[in-house]
Amino acid sequence: MNKTLIIGASGQIGQMVTTALAETDQPVRALVRDKTKLEPIAGSQLEIMEADLEGDFSAAFDGMSNVIFCAGSGGTTGADKTLLIDLWAAKKAVDYAKKQSVKKFVMVSSMGVDDPDAIGGDIKPYLVAKHMADQYLMESGVPYTLVRPGPLTNDEGQGKITIKRPAHVDEMSISREDVAKSLLFILTKEGLDSKIFELFNGTYEVENVLV
Amino acid sequence: MNKTLIIGASGQIGQMVTTALAETDQPVRALVRDKTKLEPIAGSQLEIMEADLEGDFSAAFDGMSNVIFCAGSGGTTGADKTLLIDLWAAKKAVDYAKKQSVKKFVMVSSMGVDDPDAIGGDIKPYLVAKHMADQYLMESGVPYTLVRPGPLTNDEGQGKITIKRPAHVDEMSISREDVAKSLLFILTKEGLDSKIFELFNGTYEVENVLV
């Protein structure tokens, strides 16, 4: 049976994914810095493990077949944390996943990470860090799917998305709920190895778009 | 004839290397953000080119066979600049070098870059950025030599070094002059591809150590 490790399980998207997975019959291990943050959703299939992503968190990978990496700053913390978490913890997660022969590594990345120079501005250092982390995963040999959502909102999820980048900036957002729904779909779907999806609010069902 | 591009030519080590190379009969192109900084050492073999390392500086590579990358913050600027220069500009320099089929890329890195977790502390984000840049170069296919000096001093160069990491932290320093001398030696010496040298003040002649 698949066992899924969620890295960054107390973040907003992390909690949505963890909550949904905890309601299935699949074993789930939620990695957090502070256990109390996940107490409200603790369930019988949910194992909550504390670890510091700035240290050695290899033990979290024992017995895991799937990994979702949704830890990170989203570009709002200092660039030092961007280097330590978004880049270095991601790099170490890939190394641990490789050692564990993980079958599926789903990385939550960001729109624009493919070409940081094209976007520029204050977000560029963050995009650089994510670019290098994504690149490291892509060349690691670990089976991966990259998810690169546009600007995140707290709107209610519609379950409808697009992977075509919209022409106008103000159409590029996506709700965290729809990102979480997409991650859950990718986790269960075969054939999405080596795929890179930008994600935006759209008009198509997740299962028809992520192919 | 070898043509050498020096990226970060107005930095302390960059100026030493540029000055020494400008006195040879080899063509040298010094890349700087601000031309006036190198006016004191302008010479007939020295071409000074202005470019912003945060932009597209590919034109600097035209016709170059050797590259020395000694741009960077040394860990004292903000982590956003560490991401933009020490990591991203280095990554782009490797891409440009590859396109130009450069024969030798000498990267000035830092002691401890091989294992940022082992050193930790305030310098760790910087070591992470340099680690990923070095790794990118190593996997690029561009012939490279990595130079990883200990803490830099402005002491007069002795021309004597060691590549064995000393047991005690207070013996790990090296003068910028001796780093520059080592870089110049590596530039002219065959057979140093894929070598990684940590550098410290020592008791051995540069040419006997860097083999």
Side-chain angles (χ1 to χ4, degrees), chain A residues 107-122:
Chain A
M107 176 71 89
V108 180
S109 182
S110 166
M111 185 192 109
V113 159
D114 56 320
D115 187 0
D117 291 311
I119 306 243
D122 290 347

Side-chain angles (χ1 to χ4, degrees), chain B residues 90-158:
Chain B
K91 183 263 184 197
K92 288 202 290 186
V94 173
D95 291 339
Y96 300 148
K98 187 165 187 172
K99 200 170 279 184
Q100 182 65 33
S101 300
V102 156
K103 289 187 298 184
K104 194 187 284 255
F105 193 121
V106 186
M107 175 70 90
V108 180
S109 181
S110 166
M111 184 193 110
V113 159
D114 56 320
D115 187 1
D117 291 313
I119 306 242
D122 289 347
I123 194 76
K124 187 173 168 185
Y126 171 74
L127 298 177
V128 165
K130 295 293 284 181
H131 178 99
M132 297 304 289
D134 285 4
Q135 197 70 28
Y136 190 82
L137 172 58
M138 292 160 72
E139 289 167 10
S140 67
V142 175
Y144 69 87
T145 306
L146 287 176
V147 175
R148 291 177 169 167
L152 301 167
T153 74
N154 285 324
D155 296 346
E156 198 180 336
Q158 304 300 313

Side-chain angles (χ1 to χ4, degrees), chain A residues 54-55 78-84 87-88 91-92 113-117 124-129 131-133 135-136 139, chain B residues 54-55 78-84 87-88 91-92 113-117 124-129 131-133 135-136 139:
Chain A
E54 293 185 36
D80 54 339
K81 289 295 179 189
T82 304
L83 274 160
L84 295 176
L87 177 48
W88 194 243
K91 184 263 186 198
K92 290 203 290 186
V113 159
D114 56 320
D115 187 0
D117 291 311
K124 186 173 168 186
Y126 170 74
L127 297 178
V128 165
H131 179 100
M132 298 305 288
Q135 198 69 30
Y136 190 81
E139 288 167 10
Chain B
E54 294 185 35
D80 53 339
K81 289 294 178 189
T82 304
L83 274 160
L84 294 176
L87 177 48
W88 194 241
K91 183 263 184 197
K92 288 202 290 186
V113 159
D114 56 320
D115 187 1
D117 291 313
K124 187 173 168 185
Y126 171 74
L127 298 177
V128 165
H131 178 99
M132 297 304 289
Q135 197 70 28
Y136 190 82
E139 289 167 10

Side-chain angles (χ1 to χ4, degrees), chain A residues 4-10 14 18 28-33 35 38 41 46-51 60 64:
Chain A
T4 302
L5 172 66
I6 304 170
I7 302 170
S10 61
T18 305
V28 179
R29 180 176 291 161
L31 200 65
V32 290
R33 186 190 288 263
K35 262 191 177 181
L38 283 188
I41 59 170
L46 177 62
E47 176 194 0
I48 303 177
M49 185 183 280
E50 280 186 343
M64 295 292 114

Side-chain angles (χ1 to χ4, degrees), chain A residues 6-185:
Chain A
I6 304 170
I7 302 170
S10 61
Q12 292 184 75
I13 290 173
Q15 285 205 33
M16 292 173 192
V17 172
T18 305
T19 305
L21 278 176
E23 284 171 9
T24 69
D25 59 354
Q26 280 186 44
V28 179
R29 180 176 291 161
L31 200 65
V32 290
R33 186 190 288 263
D34 176 3
K35 262 191 177 181
T36 58
K37 286 198 178 169
L38 283 188
E39 270 171 10
I41 59 170
S44 61
Q45 296 296 322
L46 177 62
E47 176 194 0
I48 303 177
M49 185 183 280
E50 280 186 343
D52 180 1
L53 296 183
E54 293 185 36
D56 181 340
F57 55 101
S58 56
F61 288 70
D62 287 349
M64 295 292 114
S65 50
N66 295 338
V67 173
I68 301 183
F69 189 96
C70 49
S73 57
T76 56
T77 61
D80 54 339
K81 289 295 179 189
T82 304
L83 274 160
L84 295 176
I85 301 298
D86 296 279
L87 177 48
W88 194 243
K91 184 263 186 198
K92 290 203 290 186
V94 172
D95 291 339
Y96 300 148
K98 187 166 187 170
K99 201 170 279 184
Q100 181 66 33
S101 300
V102 156
K103 289 187 296 183
K104 193 188 285 256
F105 192 121
V106 185
M107 176 71 89
V108 180
S109 182
S110 166
M111 185 192 109
V113 159
D114 56 320
D115 187 0
D117 291 311
I119 306 243
D122 290 347
I123 193 77
K124 186 173 168 186
Y126 170 74
L127 297 178
V128 165
K130 295 293 284 180
H131 179 100
M132 298 305 288
D134 286 4
Q135 198 69 30
Y136 190 81
L137 172 57
M138 290 161 73
E139 288 167 10
S140 67
V142 175
Y144 68 87
T145 305
L146 287 176
V147 174
R148 293 177 168 166
L152 300 168
T153 73
N154 285 323
D155 296 344
E156 197 180 335
Q158 304 299 314
K160 300 204 172 172
I161 61 172
T162 181
I163 56 172
K164 306 265 184 231
R165 199 188 284 196
H168 298 289
V169 152
D170 51 6
E171 293 167 354
M172 289 180 183
S173 65
I174 182 166
S175 68
R176 290 181 171 85
E177 280 188 15
D178 284 335
V179 174
K181 180 166 186 168
S182 300
L183 294 172
L184 290 161
F185 177 76

